[in-house]
């Protein structure tokens, strides 16, 4: 048994004043699915800080550093900080600011910087939030606590200011669902009858309509993960989304459910 829920979250990225920015908005749906954070983009080679010593890339750690309570709690904390700073309350539309920082051995967040920002005021607000974050649980490698390089995206609530259109799969969403189902059926994944498994995948519809950056955010069984990745990577070109009439990159988060309902 296999079901495919409607799109849960869409990130639109484009260019304004030579600065890469991202607008985020959530599409309300009736089906809930816990979406884990996307694997941050981190360097593969360990770096050396002249002050604090070796910085271990996230993917080379055995235990990732974590905000107290997890990612969902961190997002709520960030929202509360932005609200206290006078930014708009959490809304459908959000700017996404990509950041990098170091989680020190004692859990302190240090050396934060903006990788892809929006404006000086918003970027500074993000850096201020990072500067006063509570201590994290530090990362570990080979049983030892280590300094860890960490990269992620923080959503900054903003007022609706832009005219947006979403990308469209050739023939519309119903045809997309049929396409994905047919690919999963050919791979044998649609016939899975084991315990209920939820998988969350994401992909980018680029400004030229091509599909890229397909990855799993929430893993299920390996064979089902592979089937989902293969189905999404094989999609034909879409009609691209736009912001203020200009084609932009759009990122989708799409949940799948396999197996028996309890």
């Amino acid at each position: 048994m296999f079901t495919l829920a409607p799109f849960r979250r869409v990130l639109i990225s484009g260019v304004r004043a030579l600065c890469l920015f991202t607008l985020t908005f959530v599409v309300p749906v009736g089906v809930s699915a816990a979406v884990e954070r996307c694997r941050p983009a981190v360097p593969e080679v360990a770096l050396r800080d002249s002050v604090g010593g070796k910085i271990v890339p996230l993917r080379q750690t055995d235990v990732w550093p974590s905000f107290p309570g997890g990612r969902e709690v961190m997002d709520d904390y960030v929202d509360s900080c932005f609200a206290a700073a006078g930014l708009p309350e959490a809304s459908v539309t959000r700017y996404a600011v990509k950041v990098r920082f170091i989680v020190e051995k004692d859990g302190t967040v240090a050396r934060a910087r903006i990788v892809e920002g929006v404006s000086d005021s918003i970027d500074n607000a993000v850096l201020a939030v990072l500067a006063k974050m509570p201590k994290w649980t530090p990362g570990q490698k080979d049983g030892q606590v280590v300094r860890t390089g960490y990269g992620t995206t923080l959503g900054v609530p903003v007022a609706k200011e832009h005219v947006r259109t979403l990308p469209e799969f050739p023939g519309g969403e119903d045809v997309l669902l049929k396409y994905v189902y047919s690919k999963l059926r050919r791979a044998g994944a649609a016939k899975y009858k084991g315990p209920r498994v939820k998988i969350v995948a994401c992909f980018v519809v680029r400004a030229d309509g091509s599909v890229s950056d397909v990855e799993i955010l929430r893993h299920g069984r390996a064979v089902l993960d592979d089937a989902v990745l293969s189905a999404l990577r094989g999609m034909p070109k879409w009609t691209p989304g736009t912001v203020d009439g200009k084609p932009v990159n759009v990122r989708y988060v799409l949940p799948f459910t396999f197996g028996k309902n309890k």
Side-chain angles (χ1 to χ4, degrees), residues 192 196-200 216-226 258:
Y192 173 77
R196 186 180 179 90
V197 174
K198 291 184 179 180
I199 296 174
V200 180
I216 301 295
L217 304 186
R218 179 177 181 177
H219 293 270
R221 295 176 180 266
V223 65
L224 299 179
D225 287 354
D226 291 343
F258 297 87

Side-chain angles (χ1 to χ4, degrees), residues 5-63:
F7 298 124
R8 285 185 56 83
R9 181 173 295 170
V10 184
L11 307 176
I12 296 182
S13 63
V15 176
R16 185 184 70 178
L18 301 181
C19 179
L20 181 66
F21 70 93
T22 306
L23 295 175
T24 307
F25 56 98
V26 178
V27 181
V29 296
V31 180
S32 61
V35 180
E36 297 179 354
R37 61 173 171 78
C38 188
R39 180 182 292 271
V42 294
E44 294 294 341
V45 180
L47 304 177
R48 183 165 294 279
D49 184 343
S50 60
V51 177
K54 184 177 180 180
I55 302 170
V56 179
L58 188 64
R59 290 174 183 170
Q60 293 184 11
T61 60
D62 301 320
V63 178

Side-chain angles (χ1 to χ4, degrees), residues 204-216:
V204 173
V205 178
R206 307 199 69 81
D208 64 358
S210 61
V211 175
S212 68
D213 301 318
V214 182
E215 56 185 314
I216 301 295

Side-chain angles (χ1 to χ4, degrees), residues 91-168:
S91 60
V92 171
T93 303
R94 288 171 175 262
Y95 285 113
V97 178
K98 292 186 179 181
V99 299
R100 287 187 190 277
F101 50 86
I102 298 169
V103 179
E104 299 285 4
K105 293 181 180 180
D106 65 355
T108 302
V109 172
R111 304 287 291 277
R113 64 184 178 90
I114 303 296
V115 177
E116 294 176 0
V118 177
S119 66
D120 288 345
S121 60
I122 290 178
D123 294 353
N124 288 336
V126 170
L127 291 174
V129 169
L130 294 174
K132 61 183 180 182
M133 268 192 169
K135 289 187 175 183
W136 290 42
T137 300
Q140 295 184 33
K141 181 176 177 59
D142 299 329
Q144 300 294 319
V145 172
V146 295
R147 305 178 75 214
T148 307
Y150 196 96
T152 190
T153 300
L154 298 180
V156 184
V158 297
K160 297 179 182 179
E161 300 172 345
H162 301 271
V163 178
R164 306 176 300 271
T165 62
L166 292 178
E168 184 176 13

